[in-house]
């Protein structure tokens, strides 16, 4: 515990300009509008290379969840720049949501690359409050690298279950806490406060598989995987889907 606190203080000292900007109320709007969209775009390129095979496998059965009309109505939470579009089946009707509306450049680029989809609308909304989406109106919900930064995981999963039709599926790929006895978890604890500040509320030590197991899915498939990124404490991931 003492080692963690000491190293946290050292890291906070290194990041003192960010802490000062945060104290002055400057960092959050700058992070939301400029820094986070920029850095997430760069990280996504690397993460995509590492996770592509996992996503291909994850989304392979998406067509199985088409609605009675034969169409697949998909809602993506925390769409960001739209890096998942390439994995969705042709003709899929996509509704995008994100709490941060500042991903226009990357989003437009990926929409142009993926003309096989039908883009319904973009909603600026928090994951915990999807009131703009009617209950039981979508066949699938997708959420990747988002549950780490929502204010309430349980409320978010509650909204997921509300908007899904019976028999619909929730797909996820998220970084999670490492084994508590591991060095990875030690460094996650060290980095936690500064990482959360710099990366727009991203929490390193959430055990998201527990939240998913507690949610009311009739069927849940979870796999623990490793997605190693250089010098980043987010290697442990979970991937899978749950059926309403």
């Amino acid at each position: 515990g003492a080692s963690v606190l000491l190293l946290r203080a050292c890291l906070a000292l290194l990041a003192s300009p960010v802490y000062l900007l945060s104290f002055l109320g400057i960092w959050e709007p700058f992070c939301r509008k400029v820094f986070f969209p920029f850095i997430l775009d760069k990280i996504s390129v690397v993460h995509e290379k590492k996770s592509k095979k996992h996503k291909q496998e994850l989304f392979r059965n998406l067509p199985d969840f088409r609605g009675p009309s034969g169409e697949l109505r998909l809602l993506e939470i925390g769409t960001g720049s739209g890096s998942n579009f390439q994995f969705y089946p042709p003709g899929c009707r996509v509704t995008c949501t994100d709490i941060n509306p500042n991903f226009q450049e990357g989003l437009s680029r990926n929409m142009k690359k993926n003309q096989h989809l039908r883009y319904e609308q973009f909603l600026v909304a928090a994951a915990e409050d999807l009131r703009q989406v009617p209950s039981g109106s979508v066949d699938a919900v997708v959420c990747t690298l988002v549950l780490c930064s929502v204010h309430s995981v349980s409320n978010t999963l509650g909204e997921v279950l509300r908007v899904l039709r019976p028999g619909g599926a929730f797909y996820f790929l998220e970084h999670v806490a490492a084994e508590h006895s591991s060095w990875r978890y030690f460094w996650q604890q060290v980095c936690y406060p500064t990482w959360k500040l710099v990366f727009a509320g991203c929490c390193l030590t959430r055990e998201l598989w527990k939240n998913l197991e507690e949610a009311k899915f009739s069927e849940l498939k979870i796999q623990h995987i490793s997605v190693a990124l250089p010098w980043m404490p987010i290697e442990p991931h979970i991937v899978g889907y749950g059926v309403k």
Side-chain angles (χ1 to χ4, degrees), residues 22-37:
S22 178
F23 177 76
L24 296 173
I26 298 171
W27 175 252
E28 185 177 351
F30 171 76
C31 179
R32 181 179 294 272
K33 190 170 184 179
V34 180
F35 177 78
F36 193 61

Side-chain angles (χ1 to χ4, degrees), residues 29 33 85 119 147-148 162 175 206 228 234 243:
K33 190 170 184 179
F85 291 163
Y119 301 101
L147 294 179
C148 59
R162 180 186 66 79
H175 70 80
R206 286 185 173 173
I234 57 171
V243 179

Side-chain angles (χ1 to χ4, degrees), residues 146-209:
V146 173
L147 294 179
C148 59
S149 56
V150 299
H151 291 298
S152 171
V153 177
S154 59
N155 288 351
T156 298
L157 295 177
E159 280 291 81
V160 167
L161 286 163
R162 180 186 66 79
V163 302
L164 277 174
R165 65 165 176 81
F170 171 56
Y171 289 80
F172 54 87
L173 187 150
E174 300 284 343
H175 70 80
V176 294
E179 289 282 345
H180 284 207
S181 60
S182 68
W183 278 108
R184 287 194 187 99
Y185 186 69
F186 174 82
W187 287 111
Q188 285 180 333
Q189 288 183 298
V190 169
C191 296
Y192 182 91
T194 299
W195 183 276
K196 186 176 182 181
L197 175 64
V198 173
F199 292 101
C202 176
C203 298
L204 291 170
T205 56
R206 286 185 173 173
E207 298 175 331
L208 295 171
W209 62 90

Side-chain angles (χ1 to χ4, degrees), residues 41-107:
D41 195 45
K42 303 303 178 185
I43 292 173
S44 293
V45 173
V46 181
H47 189 275
E48 200 59 50
K49 290 179 181 177
K50 300 282 188 177
S51 64
K52 187 172 184 177
K53 64 178 182 179
H54 297 294
K55 286 188 176 183
Q56 288 173 331
E57 181 62 29
L58 172 65
F59 295 123
R60 184 168 294 171
N61 69 341
L62 255 177
D64 296 345
F65 292 98
R66 295 181 192 274
S69 67
E71 292 185 313
L72 180 69
R73 300 163 301 170
L74 185 147
L75 171 72
E76 181 164 358
I77 299 174
T79 305
S81 60
S83 61
N84 290 327
F85 291 163
Q86 61 184 299
F87 302 105
Y88 300 157
C92 178
R93 295 171 55 185
V94 181
T95 295
C96 305
T97 74
D98 206 296
I99 195 172
N100 187 345
N102 296 298
F103 292 97
Q104 296 97 328
E105 184 179 341
L107 187 63

